[in-house]
Amino acid sequence: MKAFFKKSGIIVGSVLAAVLIILLIASALGGGLHSFRDLLSPVDRLVNAGMDKLEHIYGYMYNYDKLVAENAELRSRVAELEAAVRDSASSNEENAQLKKLLGLAEENEDYVFVDAALVSWTASSWSSSFSINKGSKAGIEAGDCVITEDGFLIGQVTEVSRRSATVQTILDSASGVGAVTDAGVIAVAEGDYTLMGQNRLRLAYIEEADMVVSGDKVITSGKGGIYPSGLVIGTVESVSLDPSGLSASAVIVPDADISGLTTLYIITDYDPEG
């Protein structure tokens, strides 16, 4: 844009020089004022046209700069509004989680909760575990049960440091928990390496296989005192007989969205008899 104004200045300077030459010629010829005006008229029109063009360009540049400034201000305001919407959505989500947790706590008055955030997943294809941002300083111990705000089972704390801990999920092949279906069938929900990649686990050691069907809800039995009873593990997806025909196993889809976890809750204390 500077180059343009520099070029325009050269043009205007050339026009003025031409006017001066014409004045000198008119004076030398002695044509008089009338002749001079006639001679100068085309130049005058050219100068006026040039000035009108420069004024138009200046007006355009002024308005352009003004629009740029207004546009920047509008973008800044839009960014602020978008941030406010995100904060509001986050607050609404947190409130919804807390309401669900409050409902769970009211149903299980003996539960003591500690909230935590998932920090990172363990870099191994052989296991399903992750680190959280709370540890022994927050009252967390190895063996503690980990759930969502809905009471869906996620897994169990296996390692603890002062400010962090490791959680082994129910998908891990080393995981196992006493379970019962909503029809009262006793079994064990355990991780299976071949199912882990499909976000599934297995229901094994089923006592009454003929009573287990797709759609059955599977919850913790509370046997062994490690997990509280009544925590939702998942839903039976399919049932299959072993080749011998003497036993059966089932595939469970966990109710917890394990791959999408962010915030979770650790049950640090509960009454096994409660």
Side-chain angles (χ1 to χ4, degrees):
M1 201 51 75
K2 289 182 178 179
F4 171 80
F5 281 112
K6 182 177 180 181
K7 183 177 179 181
S8 299
I10 293 172
I11 294 172
V12 172
S14 300
V15 171
L16 291 175
V19 170
L20 181 60
I21 292 171
I22 292 171
L23 285 172
L24 292 174
I25 294 172
S27 177
L29 294 174
L33 183 59
H34 180 73
S35 298
F36 171 71
R37 286 178 177 174
D38 291 341
L39 188 62
L40 190 60
S41 180
V43 177
D44 184 54
R45 288 195 297 271
L46 179 62
V47 171
N48 288 335
M51 293 303 295
D52 288 343
K53 186 175 181 180
L54 287 175
E55 287 178 2
H56 174 74
I57 293 172
Y58 173 77
Y60 171 80
M61 289 301 299
Y62 175 79
N63 290 329
Y64 175 79
D65 290 342
K66 186 178 179 182
L67 287 172
V68 168
E70 290 176 353
N71 188 40
E73 184 178 351
L74 286 173
R75 286 184 179 180
S76 176
R77 182 55 181 159
V78 167
E80 290 175 2
L81 291 173
E82 288 177 343
V85 169
R86 287 194 298 270
D87 291 342
S88 176
S90 178
S91 296
N92 290 338
E93 184 178 349
E94 289 176 3
N95 289 337
Q97 288 178 337
L98 290 174
K99 285 181 180 179
K100 290 179 180 179
L101 188 65
L102 179 60
L104 183 65
E106 288 175 347
E107 294 175 4
N108 303 271
E109 296 180 355
D110 57 316
Y111 285 6
V112 178
F113 298 102
V114 172
D115 67 290
L118 190 153
V119 175
S120 63
W121 283 91
T122 302
S124 171
S125 59
W126 295 96
S127 65
S128 176
S129 61
F130 55 84
S131 298
I132 58 175
N133 65 344
K134 298 283 181 69
S136 59
K137 185 179 179 182
I140 296 173
E141 298 178 353
D144 285 347
C145 179
V146 184
I147 62 172
T148 69
E149 70 275 8
D150 295 290
F152 299 157
L153 183 62
I154 295 171
Q156 182 185 37
V157 175
T158 55
E159 297 179 15
V160 182
S161 65
R162 183 167 172 76
R163 298 181 182 276
S164 64
T166 300
V167 175
Q168 179 188 77
T169 80
I170 54 176
L171 302 179
D172 193 285
S173 58
S175 173
V177 51
V180 60
T181 70
D182 48 10
V185 178
I186 303 298
V188 174
E190 60 182 18
D192 182 287
Y193 179 72
T194 59
L195 294 173
M196 187 172 66
Q198 303 170 38
N199 196 42
R200 304 286 192 275
L201 65 157
R202 190 175 301 283
L203 187 67
Y205 308 104
I206 303 172
E207 292 188 354
E208 300 171 275
D210 59 331
M211 292 182 62
V212 178
V213 296
S214 296
D216 281 352
K217 218 60 170 171
V218 182
I219 61 175
T220 55
S221 65
K223 289 186 176 181
I226 297 177
Y227 295 89
S229 62
L231 298 175
V232 178
I233 298 172
T235 305
V236 173
E237 183 178 56
S238 61
V239 183
S240 59
L241 286 172
D242 290 342
S244 65
L246 299 176
S247 61
S249 64
V251 175
I252 305 172
V253 180
D255 274 25
D257 180 14
I258 293 177
S259 62
L261 292 172
T262 53
T263 302
L264 42 93
Y265 301 89
I266 300 92
I267 301 176
T268 57
D269 194 18
Y270 73 98
D271 181 4
E273 306 297 328

